[in-house]
Structures are given as structure tokens and as C-alpha cells.
Amino acid sequence: MGTFCSNLQLKRKKSIDTDTVVDAISVMMKNSGYVEAESSDFDRKITLIARPDSKWMSLFDSNLDASNIELSTDMAISLGKVIDTEILCISVIDSDYFNIELFRDGKMKANITNLNEMSTVSYKNIKAWINCGEEIDSKTIKSIFSKHTVFVDDKISEFANTFSIDNSLCLLSHRHLHELDLNSAITLFFKNAKEEQEDTELDQTKLQFVSYYMEYKSNIGDNKSYKFTVKNIGKSSVGFQVIICGEAINSGFISASDCQLSVDDISLNKKFWKATLQNGTNGYVCDFSDLVIPDSCNIDYPQTQKDFKILIKTYISVNISFENHRKCDSHMFIYFLPIKNAREGQVGTNMKVEII
């Protein structure tokens, strides 16, 4: 089996010490419905490693795994709103796929990934990466990920070295920490204050992103399709909808045409229809009312090929085809909803739309 890892890296600055980060983590967890707990009775553990000779601090969360990029994004946004520094979210899946996101001031500034197409590496805002490093140019960054390697671990390690990140930490998750000397670590324990409510929610379908996009860029007439993948972390149910809306849709800059959905051995292909949404704006809807959403498989860290195959069978892949109509610099929202528990169970992304 390849490497599975997920962690956050916070750039050190004179104005930011470990106490500042610990306070920010405590506020973030309180806002998420957690309270501080004892090491003997907790639901979630967060470890902060701040080695004296390192230019970055590493953060590991017991709830964070490589397939849950959405959670690491939420954490980076929350911490970035109160900590004045760059925050990296690093994820590797089975040594084949990687995703690195750069956040500042609670907003994603840049992204490098091959989550969407294994052979293609996409870059978002290369200038932000240059500003994040020291004496780094765009050629240096692109050369790291253009090299052919069997495993993406080598690319991540070279990336870490380029940005002076501790290479021994950037390819780890929380479950690996027992292998390390944690003398420089601070461990925080939290208990879910809404435990009963959370148990109730997990009795229903609740979707979570495995891979998604945040940017649509194309030329007039060069129509595109994008593949999104979600999984269920709750109970199985029947019925699935895809809803697309936002300024780019409402103003007629772009439209959604086909929707191809696959889960396990089932493949479905349907057309979007134009609809007036509850807020009075135009949108597109595709309804898979008879689709059975798989139950969660409770495999956070696949250890064997069998585990990985079981996990993949629970993924719902949705390929959406778009048609470009007019030049624009706008945005659109894409939501994936289980018909049962639609409000709490849905997941969505805000895509920047640029048609030139």
C-alpha cells in the first residue's frame, strides 16, 4: 500500500508563537461544538509540533484523513482568520494522488493538485506560491511536479525541501505520530459537546467531498466537463440531486447540460433541466431519485488493497458537462444533496468561472 497522509503546516513568524496557535485551535474547536477534555476521555485529539529549528509548525488532527480534504480546508479557513500567516493543507492518497492548498487570511490563495486527473497537475495562482517561499520562482515550483516519479511522495518531499518544511512531518498523519519523538509536541484533547445530536445526524445520509474543483476556466465554445467525487459518512438512503446555481448561471454565462453519475457498478446519464430555485434565481437540477446512496464503510485509513476496494465502492462520482455562452468573470455554486436529510447532508463548492 502507498502513503496516505493529511496534515496542516503553519509558517512561523516572530509574532506567532505556540500559545497563539493553541488559543486559535481552542476557539476553532469551541465554534465546532467541542469542549476541552482529559486525555482519558476524549473524542478528538489535535497535536501541534513546533520544533525550534523548523520554519513551520505541523498540525495533526485525529479526525483528519487523506480522503477528507473538506475538513482540512475548513480548519485552514478557521485558523487563518485569527492567525496572520500562511497555512498549507497537504494530502496524499495511496502515493498516487496529492493535493496541496495554500491559505492566507481565511481564504485559499493557491492550489497544486492531481486529484482530478492523475496525469495532469493543475496550478492555481502560482504567484501566491512564490510569495510564500524564499527566493523561489515559478519554474522551480513547476519543475518539482513535472518530473516523472513512480510515487508522488517524492514530489511532496521535494516541495517540502523547497519551502523549508520539515520533510519528516509533511508525509504523516495523526496515526503515525506514535513513531516520533514528541518532546516538542503540544497535544490538545476535546470532547463533542453535541455528542447526542451528532449521533442522530449520522443515522441519516451525510455527504462529504473526496475530490472537487474551485475554478472553471475556458474559452468561448470550448465546452468542458468536470468530475466531482463524494462519499457518505452516514447511513444509506435513496435519492440524490445535483443543483447548480449562482451568478454565472443566473446571468446566462454558462449552462449545465449532461450529468453522468457512477457508484459501484451502476452508471447513469441524465440531462439537467432549468428551474427557478427557492430564492427566485435560475438554476439547473438533475435528479437521481432512485439511486441508492451507499452506507458509510467506516474505513478511514485503508491498510490493504481489499480495504481500498471497499472504500472506492462507496464513492459517488459525478461528471458534469457545461456549455459556455458568453465571456465572464463570475462564479457558480454546485451542490450535491441526498433527498433525505438534504439540509444537513448536502455538500457544495463555490467555483470561480472565467470564460475568455
Side-chain angles (χ1 to χ4, degrees), residues 17 79 128 136 264 332 335:
D17 55 18
L79 293 173
I136 298 174
D264 198 2
M332 64 180 169
Y335 296 101

Side-chain angles (χ1 to χ4, degrees), residues 248-264:
I249 298 293
N250 194 51
S251 299
F253 298 128
I254 188 173
S255 62
S257 55
D258 298 339
C259 186
Q260 297 176 332
L261 183 148
S262 61
V263 54
D264 198 2

Side-chain angles (χ1 to χ4, degrees), residues 1-9 45 47 49 51 58-67 90-95 153 167-182 185 187 300-303:
M1 290 296 294
T3 297
F4 290 81
C5 75
S6 188
N7 57 76
L8 273 67
Q9 303 290 332
K45 179 167 67 172
T47 301
I49 299 179
R51 291 175 173 169
S58 303
L59 192 152
F60 301 89
D61 186 336
S62 59
N63 276 20
L64 193 59
D65 65 76
S67 64
I90 300 177
S91 298
V92 173
I93 301 176
D94 201 24
S95 292
D153 308 37
N167 192 29
S168 66
L169 296 175
C170 68
L171 283 170
L172 299 181
S173 283
H174 192 276
R175 62 194 176 95
H176 301 114
L177 296 185
H178 69 279
E179 305 168 5
L180 302 178
D181 177 5
L182 296 180
T187 302
D300 292 326
Y301 307 106
Q303 300 292 320

